[in-house]
Amino acid sequence: MRVVVTGAAGFIGSHLAEALVAAGHDVLAVDVTGGGAVQHRAELALAGMTVTECDLAADDLAPLADSDVILHLAGRPGVRDSGGPRTWRDNVTATERLVEACAGRGTRIVLASSSSVYGSAERPCDEDEVTAPLSPYATSKLAAEQVVRRGSCDGVVLRYFSVYGPRQRPDMAFHRFIEAGLAGVPAPLFGDGGQSRSFTYVGDVVAATVRAAETPLPSGTVLNIGNPATVTVGDALERIGRLLGTMPPTVVKDEAPGDVARTWAGTGRAARLLGWTASTGLDDGLARQIAWHRERRERG
């Protein structure tokens, strides 16, 4: 199968591209120049891939449309600092152009969306839950979903829940906490640590995404990809401390605007349609991420 991965040099995208190559697929890895995209190019090169540089919001996308599946992970991530026009450009305009390029070609587009579209959860969210985005980032992801679901392409949406693991972005909580524990330099803790999340290991997310690429699904399908167990940020911080053998120092900051109190993944539909459930417990996943941080430090 000919597969394009956008955002392939990012945290999740780099793992996904490698897994697709290992599964025997023909993979075109696409990303932009600079920023976090540089971080994982070496891993992609070791897996036998070349990253094609492409700005989805400006460049010619016809070469990408010549594929069976596009796994669309590119975009501007993060709730904090998501209020500028670049968020809409990179998340919505880019998706609109990708869908237009694929119109009438039979190409499946699998969009990586976010649990943030639900707002704060009071119970496990299923895919038919009323959406209530609380940040510009969440609003842009919901708009991108609508572009994919209503466009003239075979569109599938995956709502990822709080992904963590090796190669996690430096701005994300677990990355900051682990580095704080290893370096002894305080990391910011936004809020009181009582926020709950369905923390989901990157390997589980990759497995679900590969299945979404390979499995026949009705166009317009939306699937939650998350661990149904919820854990508070404070509990996760304590687990990191136990695994490191030292408690990471933190500095309490005001809760970030648009940050939700709780995410909670209902994953029955993914189990039915993909035969997928998250299988990695938080302690095991954190141990793997910590090992990656240690190895990276040893390499310098």
Side-chain angles (χ1 to χ4, degrees):
M1 187 165 63
R2 173 72 165 168
V3 184
V4 171
V5 180
T6 72
F11 162 39
I12 303 171
S14 60
H15 287 283
L16 177 59
E18 289 174 354
L20 289 162
V21 168
H25 297 298
D26 179 12
V27 178
L28 174 63
V30 178
D31 217 304
V32 292
T33 303
V38 176
Q39 184 175 359
H40 308 308
R41 288 178 187 265
E43 285 88 349
L44 296 178
L46 287 172
M49 280 173 280
T50 300
V51 179
T52 298
E53 295 179 1
C54 180
D55 181 350
L56 300 180
D59 293 341
D60 179 15
L61 304 186
L64 307 189
D66 185 22
S67 58
D68 298 303
V69 180
I70 297 177
L71 302 178
H72 182 31
L73 277 70
R76 187 162 294 267
V79 169
R80 290 185 293 276
D81 303 321
S82 67
R86 295 285 302 190
T87 296
W88 192 265
R89 176 191 185 276
D90 293 345
N91 293 351
V92 183
T93 302
T95 303
E96 289 173 337
R97 297 185 76 246
L98 193 61
V99 168
E100 289 170 2
C102 294
R105 291 177 173 264
T107 305
R108 169 174 288 184
I109 296 179
V110 179
L111 172 70
S113 187
S114 168
S115 62
S116 65
V117 302
Y118 292 117
S120 191
E122 297 181 358
R123 58 185 179 275
C125 293
D126 65 31
E127 292 83 355
D128 297 323
E129 193 83 20
V130 175
T131 53
L134 299 178
S135 67
Y137 167 74
T139 299
S140 75
K141 296 303 285 187
L142 185 58
E145 288 188 10
Q146 293 167 349
V147 169
V148 168
R149 296 181 70 192
R150 297 173 182 173
S152 54
C153 67
D154 177 12
V156 173
V157 171
L158 306 182
R159 291 173 177 164
Y160 293 163
F161 282 71
S162 301
V163 187
Y164 72 98
R167 307 179 194 167
Q168 191 183 45
R169 297 195 322 270
D171 63 295
M172 299 181 77
F174 289 178
H175 187 114
R176 295 196 313 264
F177 294 157
I178 293 168
E179 287 296 312
L182 294 173
V185 178
L189 172 63
F190 295 97
D192 62 4
Q195 310 97 312
S196 295
R197 297 287 183 267
S198 286
F199 294 114
T200 312
Y201 185 65
V202 65
D204 290 336
V205 169
V206 165
T209 306
V210 171
R211 291 195 185 189
E214 298 174 337
T215 304
L217 295 168
S219 184
T221 296
V222 178
L223 297 171
N224 289 337
I225 306 301
N227 193 316
T230 61
V231 176
T232 67
V233 172
D235 182 14
L237 179 59
E238 291 181 2
R239 292 175 188 232
I240 290 171
R242 288 197 297 272
L243 290 165
L244 287 172
T246 183
M247 194 65 183
T250 59
V251 175
V252 176
K253 302 284 187 179
D254 290 340
E255 190 171 315
D259 201 8
V260 301
R262 186 177 204 173
T263 65
W264 197 348
T267 58
R269 185 180 293 178
R272 292 192 305 273
L273 297 184
L274 299 181
W276 175 90
T277 56
S279 61
T280 307
L282 184 56
D283 287 340
D284 287 342
L286 285 172
R288 296 173 197 175
Q289 182 168 346
I290 289 169
W292 174 78
H293 282 260
R294 293 189 188 277
E295 291 168 5
R296 191 179 68 140
R297 283 174 160 267
E298 290 174 1
R299 293 196 305 265

